[in-house]
């Protein structure tokens, strides 16, 4: 009876090409191993209308209810014999050898290797290649290892939907791709089995594109924090014999460093683009590769922009917390007390009011535009924009955010930078240091907008090359002058 139920009503060849996934035409799929991955995979396969048989070394050990009722539990041999074509190897690669007894039963079947790498830098063949060596008569396909058990269970609309697949067998790959689609995933063909190593270590990678930007942001924070500590706390403490301002370490200094880091990081987003433009102008061609450090920098702009947004947002939150501080209350009450005692009033400071309103307004607007940039850098939002819209947001609005942030800093600094008291121990205030790189970026950008430079750059970007670099012109020159 079981045999009857598992026999497809229509054979594969008879199934119409556009058959709905949830139907009884799905050939039975076997999963070897009854662990966490096997259970989640079985749940998803059953939900996608696929018949599943799980092969275990000891069926009796599997607690009842662990797998859905629709899943058939068999010993390993029984499961493999039921599989029409696909067998998932949901066991750790160290135990592949223990399955060698199934070699002949698995011959001609597609073995899906779902294993992850144990470490990032392992030499020698990948798990999938070793599996292919152990089972030379089977078609080994690497895939599904980048999907976690959680993603398998949460259904087609949550979690990551990408499944990376590779194999030397086109036929095997096609079958796995079809099944992945039926399960609601987006299969990504990564080529031959030699790509398996890359797929196996993919789940082990820890934010590979973020390490550089995070380190840069952290170092910038350390620099501004250390500089502020030296200039505003330690040196005055040593010079004035015990003037204690160490309480500033927890909030004041952090809030002073964050905007500086945000501003410099935002400038670093636009710096490599300008550098690349000037390099193209100088070379007179776009057909020479950028140095690898510049290439890497260009590829990390999104991460730098998001980190800049994070620092700016934190600065905003910290600034909102300033009135809640105990020291603010202390200062306010004491000033009021002193004024009451002296019978004086706080004079109206027109210039001060303008200054604070201007710098607050520029700061809020800058943060708003930066939020837009951060939102559009999300793939789901970015994908809805065409190239022109994306460039407008990322470049046009980006420069507006940078300009507003510089204005926020300059309005904050006002004319204090021209007073000698702003330079204790010959050290300029940190906000002055923070605007240097952004100002250079803005000035360089303005130069690029000059018509003579802009026209030349546009031509270069459309494929024009200066005579000095154009290989075709050089060739004609060589031929015309008979140079051997
Ligand atoms: P697990 O819970 O430990 O299950 C492994 C299963 O392998 C066992 O339940 C066992 O089932 C079976 N097995 C077969 N031969 C074995 C042997 N000689 N010794 C020990 N066990 C043997 O592991 P898992 O988390 O499901 O992971 C299985 C594979 O999926 C691994 O290669 C892993 O890298 C991959 N993976 C896991 C995840 C995840 O989120 N867990 C995600 C991606 C990929 P029986 O006792 O029933 O035979």
């Amino acid at each position: 009876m079981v045999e009857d139920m598992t026999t497809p009503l229509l054979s594969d060849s008879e199934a119409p090409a556009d058959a709905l996934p949830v139907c009884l035409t799905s050939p039975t799929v076997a999963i070897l191993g009854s662990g966490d991955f096997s259970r989640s995979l079985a749940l998803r396969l059953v939900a996608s209308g696929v018949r599943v048989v799980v092969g275990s070394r000891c069926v009796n050990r599997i607690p009842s209810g662990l797998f859905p009722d629709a899943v058939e539990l068999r010993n390993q041999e029984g499961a493999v014999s039921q599989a029409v074509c696909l067998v998932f190897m949901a066991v750790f690669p160290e135990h592949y050898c223990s399955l060698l007894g199934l070699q002949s039963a698995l011959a001609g079947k597609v073995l899906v290797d779902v294993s992850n790498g144990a470490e990032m830098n392992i030499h020698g063949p990948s798990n999938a290649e070793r599996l292919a060596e152990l089972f030379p008569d089977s078609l080994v396909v690497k895939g599904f290892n980048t999907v976690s058990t959680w993603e398998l269970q949460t259904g087609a609309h949550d979690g990551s939907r990408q499944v990376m697949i590779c194999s030397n067998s086109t036929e095997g790959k096609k079958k796995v791709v079809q099944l992945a689609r039926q399960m609601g995933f987006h299969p990504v063909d990564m080529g031959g089995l030699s790509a398996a190593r890359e797929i196996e270590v993919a789940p082990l990678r820890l934010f590979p594109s973020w390490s550089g930007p995070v380190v840069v942001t952290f170092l910038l924070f350390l620099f501004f924090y250390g500089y502020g500590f030296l200039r505003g706390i330690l040196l005055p403490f040593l010079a004035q014999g015990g003037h204690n301002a160490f309480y500033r370490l927890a909030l004041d200094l952090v809030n002073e460093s964050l905007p500086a880091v945000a501003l410099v990081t935002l400038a670093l987003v636009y710096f490599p683009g300008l550098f690349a433009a000037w390099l193209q102008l100088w070379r007179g061609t776009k057909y020479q590769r950028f140095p690898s450090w510049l290439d890497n920098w260009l590829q990390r702009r999104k991460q730098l922009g998001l980190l800049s947004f994070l620092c700016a947002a934190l600065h905003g939150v910290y600034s909102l917390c300033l009135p809640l501080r105990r020291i603010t209350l202390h200062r306010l009450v004491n000033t009021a007390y002193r004024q009451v005692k002296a019978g004086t009033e706080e004079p109206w400071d027109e210039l001060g009011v303008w200054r604070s309103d201007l710098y607050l307004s520029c700061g809020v607007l800058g943060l708003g535009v930066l939020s837009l940039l951060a939102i559009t850098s999300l793939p789901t939002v970015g994908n809805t924009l065409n190239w022109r819209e994306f460039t407008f947001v990322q470049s046009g609005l980006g420069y507006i955010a940078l300009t507003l942030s510089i204005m926020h800093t300059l309005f904050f600094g006002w004319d204090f930078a021209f007073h000698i008291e702003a330079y204790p121990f010959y050290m300029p205030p940190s906000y002055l240091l923070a605007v240097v790189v952004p100002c250079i970026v803005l000035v360089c950008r303005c130069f690029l907008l000059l018509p003579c430079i802009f026209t030349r750059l546009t031509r270069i970007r459309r494929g024009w090359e200066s005579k000095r670099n154009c290989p075709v012109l050089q060739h004609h020159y060589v031929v015309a002058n008979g140079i051997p």
Side-chain angles (χ1 to χ4, degrees):
M1 181 65 179
V2 171
E3 297 294 326
D4 289 349
M5 292 299 286
T6 52
T7 309
L9 295 179
L10 285 172
S11 75
D12 239 0
S13 54
E14 286 162 340
D18 57 348
L20 284 172
V22 184
C23 61
L24 292 175
T25 56
S26 291
T28 304
V29 168
I31 307 174
L32 290 181
S34 61
D36 296 336
F37 194 83
S38 166
R39 182 171 164 266
S40 307
L41 183 66
L43 276 167
R44 184 68 171 258
L45 283 168
V46 168
S48 310
V50 179
R51 287 202 187 104
V52 182
V53 52
V54 168
S56 169
R57 289 168 304 166
C58 182
V59 180
N60 299 339
R61 223 172 46 170
I62 302 174
S64 64
L66 188 67
F67 285 88
D69 291 342
V71 173
E72 199 180 328
L73 303 175
R74 303 283 300 262
N75 61 22
Q76 290 175 334
E77 293 78 9
V80 171
S81 67
Q82 294 238 351
V84 173
C85 167
L86 282 167
V87 180
F88 280 87
M89 309 292 271
V91 302
F92 281 97
E94 298 89 301
H95 305 134
Y96 285 164
C97 293
S98 68
L99 303 172
L100 276 174
L102 302 170
Q103 235 176 10
S104 56
L106 288 170
K109 296 196 167 152
V110 178
L111 305 190
V112 189
D113 175 69
V114 301
S115 67
N116 290 325
E119 283 174 48
M120 284 290 288
N121 303 314
I122 294 184
H123 302 290
S126 59
N127 297 336
E129 286 165 320
R130 277 198 297 116
L131 185 68
E133 276 170 25
L134 291 173
F135 298 89
D137 299 328
S138 307
L139 315 173
V140 173
V141 178
K142 178 89 217 171
F144 284 93
N145 64 305
T146 49
V147 187
S148 69
T149 50
W150 177 81
E151 283 161 344
L152 280 168
Q153 287 187 31
T154 44
H157 303 295
D158 287 325
S160 165
R161 299 186 66 195
Q162 242 180 33
V163 173
M164 291 191 262
I165 287 166
C166 75
S167 174
N168 290 340
S169 154
T170 319
E171 195 194 330
K173 201 152 52 175
K174 211 167 128 192
K175 292 216 156 67
V176 178
V177 163
Q178 267 172 1
L179 184 72
R181 287 216 182 97
Q182 187 172 342
M183 292 164 77
F185 288 111
H186 284 313
V188 180
D189 188 346
M190 300 287 287
L193 209 57
S194 54
R197 159 73 61 225
E198 199 187 319
I199 302 179
E200 279 168 15
V201 296
L204 306 181
R205 292 213 178 96
L206 189 68
F207 305 119
S209 55
W210 281 87
S211 51
V214 168
V215 169
V216 168
T217 311
F218 182 68
L219 288 179
L220 278 173
F221 183 80
L222 270 190
F223 169 75
F224 282 110
Y225 191 83
Y227 185 83
F229 171 65
L230 213 64
R231 179 181 176 275
I233 299 173
L234 190 64
L235 290 179
F237 177 76
L238 296 176
Q240 293 166 22
H243 169 77
N244 187 346
F246 285 92
Y247 65 88
R248 292 188 57 222
L249 281 174
L251 196 145
D252 237 3
L253 208 53
V254 178
N255 194 33
E256 199 178 290
S257 314
L258 281 172
V261 179
L263 191 54
V264 178
T265 321
L266 187 60
L268 292 182
V269 174
Y270 295 100
F271 205 84
L274 294 174
F275 202 87
W278 285 108
L279 207 62
Q280 287 178 336
L281 281 168
W282 181 64
R283 288 171 167 176
T285 178
K286 70 167 189 175
Y287 295 113
Q288 269 182 41
R289 286 207 63 77
F290 295 134
S292 56
W293 60 267
L294 184 57
D295 247 352
N296 279 335
W297 193 353
L298 285 164
Q299 283 167 24
R300 303 290 182 271
R301 286 179 294 177
K302 174 178 152 182
Q303 288 80 355
L304 283 168
L306 285 173
L307 287 167
S308 166
F309 169 67
L310 174 73
C311 293
L314 285 176
H315 169 55
V317 176
Y318 266 105
S319 303
L320 287 177
C321 293
L322 289 180
L324 305 176
R325 298 167 77 208
R326 199 160 177 86
I327 185 157
T328 314
L329 186 75
H330 172 87
R331 277 189 192 144
L332 204 68
V333 172
N334 272 5
T335 314
Y337 174 73
R338 260 187 257 119
Q339 285 178 355
V340 168
K341 236 173 121 187
T344 56
E345 258 186 44
E346 177 79 11
W348 175 254
D349 176 8
E350 180 83 17
L351 213 60
V353 171
W354 271 103
R355 175 200 161 225
S356 70
D357 280 11
L358 281 172
Y359 93 74
L360 283 175
S361 185
C362 287
V364 171
L365 287 173
L367 184 60
V369 179
L370 212 53
S371 318
L372 263 182
L373 290 181
I375 292 169
T376 46
S377 72
L378 297 174
T380 41
V381 181
N383 290 345
T384 63
L385 306 176
N386 66 28
W387 175 242
R388 186 138 187 242
E389 290 163 345
F390 188 76
T391 317
F392 167 73
V393 172
Q394 292 298 324
S395 180
L397 287 188
Y399 274 104
I400 291 177
L402 186 67
T403 312
L404 284 167
S405 309
I406 293 175
M407 283 166 63
H408 170 66
T409 315
L410 292 180
F411 280 130
F412 171 78
W414 207 240
D415 62 348
F416 301 138
F418 303 111
H419 297 173
I420 189 74
E421 310 89 71
Y423 299 85
F425 314 103
Y426 304 105
M427 295 168 90
S430 17
Y431 67 80
L432 216 56
L433 297 182
V435 289
V436 174
V437 182
C439 284
I440 293 174
V441 168
L442 268 195
V443 171
C444 290
R445 175 70 189 164
C446 291
F447 270 116
L448 283 183
L449 292 177
L450 291 176
C452 53
I453 300 178
F454 182 75
T455 315
R456 188 178 159 89
L457 187 62
T458 312
R459 285 177 72 200
I460 289 174
R461 290 192 169 160
R462 293 181 68 86
W464 176 85
E465 289 183 279
S466 76
K467 283 186 188 143
R468 183 161 52 99
N469 287 298
C470 180
V472 181
L473 289 177
Q474 278 171 5
H475 172 73
H476 289 324
Y477 179 80
V478 167
V479 173
N481 292 286
I483 299 171

